[in-house]
Amino acid sequence: MALNAQTTKSISLQDLGIAHHNIHYQLSSDQLHDMTIAKDMGVESSLGALAVNTGEFTGRSPLDRFIVKDDITADKVWWGNINIPFAADDFDALHKKVIAYLNKKELFVRDAYACAEKEYRLNIRVINEYPWSNMFAYNMFLRPTEEELEGFAPEWTVINAPGFMADPKVDKTRQHNFAILNFSRKIALIGGTGYTGEIKKGIFSALNFILPVFKNTLPMHCSANVGKGGDTAIFFGLSGTGKTTLSTDPNRKLIGDDEHGWTSKNTVFNFEGGCYAKVINLSKENEPEIYGAIKKGAILENVILDDSGEVDFTDTSITQNTRVSYPIYHIKNIQEPSIGENVKNVFFLTADAFGVLPPISKLTPSQAAYHFISGYTAKVAGTEAGVVEPQPSFSACFGAPFMPLHPAKYAEMLSKKMIESGVDVWLVNTGWTGGPYGVGTRMKLKYTRAMISAVLNGDLGLYSYDAYHIHSVFGVAQPRSCPGVPTKVLSPRATWNDDEAYYKTAFKLSNAFRENFKKFEADANEEIRRGGPQRYAF
Ligand code: ATP
Ligand code: MN
């Protein structure tokens, strides 16, 4: 296959101010795998996948993500503690320093693109200090053919220098690491962190500005797959709620696991060319497709291996956020190209650690808009300190850290699309049942899958008054039965065996919703406000 040919190509980076010739351009995945091991930066696991440690950072650093305030962004970006402004002059100075640093390094350069729909294609040149970061770019971005590489004109450049440490006083960063987007210069400048997720989420954030502002397309932090009848399902959710897990379904073709656009032609396209799955407690039995994707070509991050290279997926001694990246073709059942049509169902995934939201419920259009703006999930407290209260966590559009515009902008677009295409919207609690975190248990993956399959097969779709119970606190429609799921599981109250404790906790959550929604009240119309919980504690 041409993409994996062991070619030696050359490229000049003179235009960026990089003068040396120690540049590896467009190396194959195998070459990068081997070089990483040869440089002692990684090992081969018994599954064949490369295993690396990303260093000091094993997750993104949202407080160190900046956007350059310039003519393009100044009056469009929703500035604040999510989109932190950075001065153009400071960017130029820091950029210069990073380039001077990279001028002394062996470099790994890759041309790739984002967006599976042709007319939205964004050409990207990725410049990495480390071979495994460049292999990550191979896995995660879309891969141009040999033909497309002829005369490839990069539009955006990702500069990734994990070993470069900023000096906050001089460089105007918060600390030594940074990820800065510059829309005028079309550069994502990343330094001081080796966490690969910064690379993909940098381009995602750029697209989340470009697509709605210039291309009338809604960008979404969601996964997507398509059924045999050509119906597309999309799954929104914050980190850890199940986007990757639930979209990887042997009975449906995977479109993508994290970043998509919904066009004015009503198609849904993947931005990426690969998946980035959490592997904490991964098992072959529960998640055979993802497990099977962990082979040569995949990169495991921050996992613990024994002497024979076997991975212990239960070991979280480096981080809970252990990951694997792989090109999408490591999954057997995929949609090619990664584009879906005919969106029929939208799922909002939430990991409710209070254990009070129904495992599945149907939302009215008002409720859908309200829940999208709210973007609820919960954080569970550190496990070592014993049982501590879960914390509600609200992130607008189920992805606020990546959304440069005001949430209302995306919500407006989504509402319009949902109404136009007549989709059904479902709230799925992949979190706790039988009590809150510490008392109850995580919802069985088997049950969540059965509920989603029931929706997609039309077994829950028919609305009749008797088939649903309207939740007295949240107002959502909770199905009374579902194939493959014990009836009791469908009612969170029933699983608690303690009505008083259940309602107390449900009110605690409904109050948290109300508190969070205050900041959107001014921008929300009556229709959206009506979608909130029906009852609160006073
Ligand atoms: P990110 O945005 O960080 O990529 P994600 O939404 O893709 O996050 P997943 O990678 O799918 O999240 O993580 C969900 C995790 O929760 C997996 O480790 C999965 O095994 C686990 N899990 C446990 N129970 C369930 C359930 N009922 N439904 C979904 N996932 C579950
Ligand atoms: Mn994911």
Side-chain angles (χ1 to χ4, degrees), residues 197-272:
E198 300 279 10
I199 299 172
K200 80 175 213 109
K201 285 300 202 295
I203 290 297
F204 183 46
S205 303
L207 284 165
N208 290 341
F209 181 87
I210 296 165
L211 294 180
V213 171
F214 301 114
K215 310 232 168 172
N216 190 24
T217 280
L218 171 69
M220 306 176 288
H221 186 217
C222 72
S223 60
N225 63 21
V226 54
K228 292 198 175 74
D231 65 296
T232 295
I234 57 187
F235 305 78
F236 285 94
L238 288 158
S239 185
T241 57
K243 291 183 299 299
T244 300
T245 306
L246 298 167
S247 59
T248 312
D249 176 340
N251 297 313
R252 297 174 63 86
K253 290 187 169 168
L254 179 65
I255 299 173
D257 83 325
D258 201 51
E259 309 171 1
H260 293 82
W262 192 341
T263 69
S264 50
K265 297 181 304 186
N266 225 9
T267 60
V268 168
F269 67 89
N270 193 356
F271 296 170
E272 302 183 282

Side-chain angles (χ1 to χ4, degrees), residues 319-337:
T319 175
Q320 304 258 339
N321 188 31
T322 53
R323 292 269 180 173
V324 62
S325 71
Y326 46 84
I328 196 165
Y329 57 75
H330 277 207
I331 295 292
K332 286 196 192 79
N333 200 11
I334 58 173
Q335 172 86 340
E336 289 177 285

Side-chain angles (χ1 to χ4, degrees), residues 370 373-374 376 392-394 506-522 532-533 535-538:
Y370 179 92
I373 293 246
S374 300
Y376 166 68
S393 163
F394 294 92
F507 284 134
K508 199 182 272 178
L509 182 58
S510 69
N511 281 359
F513 266 101
R514 179 172 58 182
E515 197 52 43
N516 173 69
F517 199 74
K518 281 182 182 158
K519 59 178 174 284
F520 303 116
E521 218 125 67
R535 291 212 225 151
Y536 302 96
F538 293 99

Side-chain angles (χ1 to χ4, degrees), residues 345-478:
N345 288 284
V346 172
F347 297 94
F348 293 162
L349 308 176
T350 177
D352 174 27
F354 292 96
V356 294
L357 287 177
I360 190 158
S361 54
K362 195 165 189 264
L363 305 185
T364 63
S366 297
Q367 290 169 343
Y370 179 92
H371 280 274
F372 185 70
I373 293 246
S374 300
Y376 166 68
T377 193
K379 288 202 172 96
V380 295
T383 35
E384 66 279 356
V387 182
V388 186
E389 290 234 309
Q391 292 298 318
S393 163
F394 294 92
S395 179
C397 313
F398 296 103
F402 324 116
M403 301 296 168
L405 307 179
H406 190 284
K409 189 94 198 152
Y410 304 100
E412 242 166 59
M413 288 180 91
L414 181 69
S415 283
K416 206 163 150 249
K417 292 209 173 296
M418 291 193 303
I419 290 162
E420 274 168 15
S421 48
V423 297
D424 285 335
V425 184
W426 308 86
L427 182 65
V428 177
N429 174 10
T430 65
W432 273 253
T433 177
Y437 173 77
V439 178
T441 54
R442 184 98 191 242
M443 187 68 58
K444 282 200 171 79
L445 183 52
K446 177 171 88 169
Y447 293 157
T448 301
R449 284 198 196 280
M451 291 178 231
I452 285 175
S453 296
V455 166
L456 295 172
N457 298 335
D459 295 337
L460 284 185
L462 287 173
Y463 198 94
S464 82
Y465 187 76
D466 285 354
Y468 289 84
H469 161 76
I470 302 300
H471 195 284
S472 58
V473 177
F474 298 104
V476 297
Q478 175 183 307

Side-chain angles (χ1 to χ4, degrees), residues 27 31 42 52 63 78 115 123 154 157 159 162 168 178 187 265 277 302 328 334 353 377 383 414 428 486 516 538:
L27 294 190
Q31 286 171 313
V52 301
L63 295 176
W78 191 43
C115 300
N123 281 351
T157 306
I159 300 173
F178 52 88
I187 295 172
K265 297 181 304 186
N302 304 314
I328 196 165
I334 58 173
T377 193
T383 35
L414 181 69
V428 177
N516 173 69
F538 293 99

